[in-house]
């Protein structure tokens, strides 16, 4: 992006202040945003960008993209990024994310891949004044200190690593493309701080090259981290090691250019924790309420795949005697540690039992004991990050009370969600009095609630709200929670908010717990029973269930074929490994024009942590016209009525992984034209008899009741056997009295599997009447019918032949009327012709005249006489007459309607 590159290296001779950090750097731009996806990055574009970075011998790259992550340091992209840094020697810098202020909201890949430098966004008072035209009035106490932007993502990553490594300015007036019709634009985000940090790295690389100092990512990283300046008032989780200081970092590089093993990467992992995480992260109450002994493994890693004799010799000879130091008394570690190649472990003790509620951080630092000066001159060789969360005492009603916020301050409360809680009502009240002398300007506060659920990204259990509070204003936010998991409630005064800010906060846990949570019904299964309980307090329940979507399973038309991709763009620089693709084709019929969403459960929902390199779906109509695209995070595609073809591409360099997907089924998800409400009952008897549905009722604390969901009474005609109708069911009753958006949040999934349809009844033919007409009569009738049919075909003709006064239809109609003037089908054909939209304005009198001719042929009295009596359905003659009178009735109704409309227009 032009704006991010200008932050790192733009050069503006006329306006020196507009130049980037490293104005002499050469920029190569790799486009990873797919225009078809609204500039969303794809696995394919990311991989190709890394390949090109290696081919073009880039020194440092910046990535200002990111997503929430399910598993840190996992997936295909993490492997490629690690190769890029530790095998090819390219420094990788990326944004930490813009999803703060709650902790553990760093995005992938920046905050979740240990090989990448993750950068937070900082704003200084000078930036506030120059870029945002803010006035800091020291006399009135309105000075806003430097801080990270409120939305800047915060560490640690869920595997205990730092999450945020460094901090750089996150706002700039940057150049933008000409199509914006302006030269520059104020922009902010970690997408701006990351290229700023990249520019700082470029300066160090340039200096190293000029002084013949070996360039290795670990050497540069260590210099930046050990010389970064911790900024006051900002937690280590927000700023990492601190603000980048280029001059100090260069001094460090010069001072330690001959120090042994500056280019070695010391990988830290915790042996006796699931997944061998990169740090210690004790978040849940059962983890932080006991003293623990943990095993820390440190592995010195030289350049990957470097088997040169000199490197192998260095591996054999590697030995370091390290001094270990804990930064806090509640973490104990050995004093000394002897480290050899292939790594070793040492034990640490973490005792958080005496820590107060809140988040606490610590580090174990490993220093080279052979350093002849002080430990601080070279800094730590490695560090072990430790984060401990202590929750407030578990209560169903927590009165946090009055909170006074200093400028930019974030207050964090970690709540132990009690059993039986399914949502919490967070009440926030502005404590200012609503008086004339009180500053009545709104106070912008950020409410951010996050729970970290196993194998789910933070975004899957997150609620973030921006509250503009006026004096005495009260807001209630109802937030879905998961019992037994720690929930962080972060309250932040937005970084630019001025004026005294005091609020009162109360949290009330509430819950109506269903068993099972997810309801799956199948056709003919007799509905579903759900047991609903209330464990925290008396709750009003009023079950409500609605089906809103339906999905259809598709299987590939034929078995997929694995083929190699091009050598130009899809050849990994690692041993020239070729990337392969698997292409699967699916087809379905779109019965009506509308939208659908292609769902591939096995592949979607992950991007950077995906086991496969990428997946992409292209949609085409029956004429092979491109309709749309879908990727890791699917969205709707509009399609016309008719055949739709989907082509799914999956990429990887391992053909065995692709072979596993050759018969992969996918789903097509669509919205129902009309939501289907499911009736709920208090008993199975009521459900089966269809008596009164379940009413709103009080569920006493500690009790439970049963709710019965009835199968849908009607199924859309387009649904087929095996299709699944989907929706949600909620049990708690929303409270209209709550201010703000207080209500029951969300719901629980409910599905219905469509069964086979009953065969349509064939229309029973009435008894046939023997045709007693003569041959001549039958022939005359057939000829007349043929003439009328041919006349009707001419009805669509809108042009007269040159020289003719009448159109072909009018000419033939006039001729036929001479022979069949009382034949009602003939007259009806003429009536419809003259009443066409294109002709009726000049033919209104013709419409009236023909209608007046038809009506006497179908007397109203005769119609009333026939339909006033029931006909004998067993008598062939009676059935034939009834059918004829049904047709005459429809003719008379149509003639009356067309005549009335014509008379109205005439008048």
């Amino acid at each position: 992006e032009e704006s991010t590159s200008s932050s790192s290296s733009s050069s503006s001779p006329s306006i020196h202040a507009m130049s980037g950090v490293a104005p002499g750097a050469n920029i190569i731009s790799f486009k990873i945003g797919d225009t078809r996806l609204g500039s969303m990055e794809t696995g394919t574009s990311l991989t190709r960008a890394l390949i090109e970075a290696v081919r073009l011998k880039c020194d440092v790259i910046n990535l200002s993209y990111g997503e929430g992550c399910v598993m840190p340091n996992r997936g295909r992209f993490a492997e490629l990024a690690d190769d890029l840094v530790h095998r090819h020697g390219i420094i990788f810098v990326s944004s930490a994310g813009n999803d703060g202020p709650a902790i553990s909201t760093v995005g992938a890949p920046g905050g979740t891949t240990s090989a990448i430098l993750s950068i937070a966004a900082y704003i200084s008072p000078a930036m506030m004044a120059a870029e945002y035209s803010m006035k800091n009035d020291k006399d009135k106490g309105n000075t806003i200190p430097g801080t990270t932007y409120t939305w800047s993502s915060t560490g640690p990553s869920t595997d205990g690593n730092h999450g945020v490594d460094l901090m750089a300015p996150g706002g700039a007036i940057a150049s933008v493309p000409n199509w914006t019709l302006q030269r520059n634009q104020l922009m902010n985000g970690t997408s701006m701080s990351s290229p700023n940090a990249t520019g700082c790295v470029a300066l160090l690389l340039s200096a190293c090259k000029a002084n013949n100092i070996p360039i290795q990512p670990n050497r540069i990283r260590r210099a930046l981290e050990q010389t970064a300046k911790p900024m006051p008032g900002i937690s280590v989780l927000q700023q990492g090691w601190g603000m980048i200081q280029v001059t100090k970092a260069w001094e460090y590089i010069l001072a330690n250019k001959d120090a042994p093993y500056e280019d070695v990467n010391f990988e830290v992992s915790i042996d006796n924790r699931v997944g061998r995480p990169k740090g210690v992260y004790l978040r849940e109450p059962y983890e932080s309420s006991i003293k623990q002994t943990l095993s820390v493994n440190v592995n010195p890693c030289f350049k990957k795949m470097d088997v040169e004799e000199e490197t192998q010799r260095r591996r054999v000879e590697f030995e370091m005697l390290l001094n270990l130091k804990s930064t806090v008394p509640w973490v104990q570690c050995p004093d000394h540690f002897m480290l050899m190649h292939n790594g070793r472990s040492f034990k640490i003790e973490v005792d958080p039992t005496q820590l107060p509620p809140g988040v606490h951080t610590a580090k174990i630092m490993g220093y080279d004991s052979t350093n002849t000066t002080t430990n601080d001159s070279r800094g730590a060789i490695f560090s072990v990050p430790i984060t401990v969360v202590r929750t407030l005492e578990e209560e169903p009603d927590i009165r946090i009370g009055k909170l006074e916020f200093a400028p930019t301050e974030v207050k964090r409360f970690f709540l132990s969600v009690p059993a039986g809680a399914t949502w919490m009502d967070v009440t926030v009240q502005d404590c200012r009095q609503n008086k004339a002398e009180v500053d009545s300007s709104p106070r912008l506060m950020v409410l951010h609630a996050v729970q970290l659920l196993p194998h789910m990204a933070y975004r899957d259990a997150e609620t973030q709200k921006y509250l503009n509070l006026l004096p005495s204003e009260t807001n209630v936010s109802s937030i879905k929670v998961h019992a037994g998991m720690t929930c962080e409630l972060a309250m932040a005064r937005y970084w630019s908010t001025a004026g005294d800010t005091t609020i009162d906060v109360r949290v009330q846990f509430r819950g109506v717990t269903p068993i099972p949570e997810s309801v799956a019904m199948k056709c003919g299964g007799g509905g579903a029973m759900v047991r609903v309980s209330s464990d925290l307090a008396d709750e009003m329940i009023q079950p409500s269930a609605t089906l809103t979507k339906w999905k259809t399973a598709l299987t590939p038309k034929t078995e997929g074929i694995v083929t190699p991709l091009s050598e130009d763009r899809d050849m990994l620089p690692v041993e020239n490994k070729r990337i392969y693709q698997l292409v699967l084709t699916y087809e379905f019929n779109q019965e009506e024009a509308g939208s659908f969403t292609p769902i591939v459960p096995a592949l979607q929902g992950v991007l950077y942590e995906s086991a496969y390199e990428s997946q992409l779906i292209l949609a085409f109509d029956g004429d092979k016209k491109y309709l749309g695209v879908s990727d890791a995070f699917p969205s709707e595609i509009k399609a016309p009525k008719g055949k739709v073809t989907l082509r799914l591409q999956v990429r990887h360099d391992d053909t065995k992984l692709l072979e596993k997907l050759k018969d992969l089924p996918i789903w097509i998800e669509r919205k129902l034209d009309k939501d289907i409400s499911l009736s709920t009952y208090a008993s199975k008897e009521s459900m089966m008899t269809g008596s009164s549905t379940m009413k709103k009722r009080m569920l006493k604390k500690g009790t439970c009741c049963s709710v019965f969901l009835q199968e849908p009474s009607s199924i859309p005609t387009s649904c087929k056997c095996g299709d699944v109708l989907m929706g949600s069911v909620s049990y708690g009753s929303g409270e209209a009295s709550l201010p703000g958006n207080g209500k029951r949040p969300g719901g629980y999934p409910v599905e219905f599997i469509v069964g086979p349809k009953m065969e349509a009844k064939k229309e029973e033919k009435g008894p046939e009447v023997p045709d007693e007409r003569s041959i001549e009569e039958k022939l005359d009738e057939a000829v007349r019918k043929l003439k009328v049919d041919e006349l009707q075909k001419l009805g669509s003709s809108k042009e007269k032949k040159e020289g003719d006064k009448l159109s072909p239809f009018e000419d033939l109609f006039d001729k036929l009327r001479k022979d069949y003037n009382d034949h009602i089908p003939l007259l009806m054909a003429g009536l419809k012709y003259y009443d066409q939209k294109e002709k009726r304005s000049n033919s209104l009198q013709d419409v009236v005249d023909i209608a007046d001719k038809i009506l006497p042929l179908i007397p109203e009295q005769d119609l009333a006489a026939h339909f006033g009596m029931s006909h004998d359905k067993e008598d062939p003659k009676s059935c034939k007459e009834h059918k004829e009178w049904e047709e005459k009735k429809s003719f008379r109704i149509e003639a009356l309607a067309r005549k009335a409309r014509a008379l109205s227009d005439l008048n």
Side-chain angles (χ1 to χ4, degrees), residues 883-894:
K883 186 176 181 180
E884 291 173 351
W885 279 108
E886 284 281 2
E887 187 178 31
K888 288 180 180 180
K889 182 177 73 170
S890 66
F891 287 157
R892 182 176 177 86
I893 292 171
E894 185 172 354

Side-chain angles (χ1 to χ4, degrees), residues 568-843:
D568 296 337
R569 296 193 296 173
D570 300 305
M571 184 77 76
L572 292 174
V574 181
E575 301 170 357
N576 291 327
K577 292 183 71 174
R578 181 79 68 89
I579 298 174
Y580 292 80
Q581 69 171 353
L582 169 68
V583 177
L584 299 170
T585 302
Y586 306 83
E587 288 183 356
F588 70 96
N589 184 52
Q590 183 82 353
E591 296 189 2
E592 296 293 338
S595 298
F596 68 91
T597 304
I599 305 293
V600 189
L603 301 175
Q604 290 172 336
V606 289
L607 178 57
Y608 293 97
E609 69 272 40
S610 173
Y612 289 84
E613 180 187 300
S614 69
Q615 69 278 330
L616 198 71
I617 296 177
L618 298 179
F620 305 89
D621 67 9
D623 297 324
K624 299 184 179 180
K625 177 185 175 183
Y626 170 76
L627 298 177
V629 63
S630 186
D631 70 332
F633 302 99
S635 56
E636 286 188 338
I637 297 174
K638 291 183 179 180
K641 180 179 180 180
K643 175 183 170 184
V644 176
T645 300
L646 302 177
R647 288 173 61 83
L648 167 64
Q649 181 203 50
V650 187
R651 294 165 44 110
H652 204 280
D653 64 285
D654 188 343
T655 56
K656 291 182 180 178
L657 287 177
L658 296 176
E659 294 282 348
K660 293 180 178 180
L661 304 179
K662 277 192 169 184
D663 56 354
L664 177 71
I666 68 172
W667 292 84
I668 297 300
E669 183 178 289
R670 287 165 279 199
K671 293 180 181 177
L672 293 172
D673 293 335
K674 185 179 180 181
D675 292 350
I676 301 173
S677 296
L678 301 180
S679 298
T680 59
Y681 298 87
S683 68
K684 188 170 185 177
E685 179 188 13
S686 300
M687 180 179 68
M688 299 306 295
T689 59
S691 57
S692 61
T693 57
M694 192 169 187
K695 306 299 181 184
K696 186 175 182 179
R697 56 170 289 187
M698 175 68 74
L699 188 62
K700 290 290 186 179
K701 177 182 177 180
T703 64
C704 64
C705 69
S706 294
V707 176
F708 291 84
L709 277 67
Q710 191 177 50
E711 295 180 25
S713 56
S714 62
I715 303 295
T717 56
S718 51
C719 291
K720 300 177 178 59
C721 182
D723 288 357
V724 180
L725 301 178
M726 304 176 298
S728 63
V729 54
S730 58
Y731 302 96
S733 174
E735 295 186 21
S737 60
L738 291 177
N741 61 349
K743 60 181 181 180
R744 61 181 183 212
Y748 296 89
V750 58
E751 294 184 346
F752 176 76
I753 302 173
V754 178
K757 294 181 180 179
M758 182 182 296
E759 292 187 11
K761 293 183 179 180
K762 296 181 180 180
E763 187 177 349
E764 297 182 3
K765 294 184 179 180
E768 295 185 2
V769 180
D771 193 346
E772 298 177 350
R773 293 179 299 170
S774 65
I775 297 295
E776 291 79 4
E777 290 173 330
K778 292 179 183 179
L779 185 59
D780 289 342
E781 174 65 23
V783 170
R784 183 176 67 178
K785 185 177 184 304
L786 178 61
K787 289 179 179 180
V788 174
D789 290 344
E790 290 300 317
L791 176 70
Q792 290 175 335
K793 293 178 183 178
L794 295 174
S796 59
S797 176
K798 300 179 178 63
E799 297 183 1
K800 299 177 183 179
K801 293 181 180 179
E802 187 176 351
D804 290 346
K805 295 182 179 180
L806 301 176
S807 69
F809 180 95
E810 294 166 351
D811 185 41
L812 181 58
F813 180 65
D814 290 345
K815 291 178 181 177
L816 292 178
R817 285 193 66 178
K818 294 177 182 178
D819 297 328
Y820 313 114
N821 195 33
D822 292 335
H823 186 52
I824 298 175
L826 171 64
L827 297 172
M828 288 299 299
L831 181 65
K832 292 177 182 178
Y833 172 79
Y834 286 110
D835 203 26
Q836 291 182 94
K837 182 179 180 181
E838 298 82 4
K839 298 189 67 65
R840 68 185 313 274
S841 60
N842 297 321
S843 306

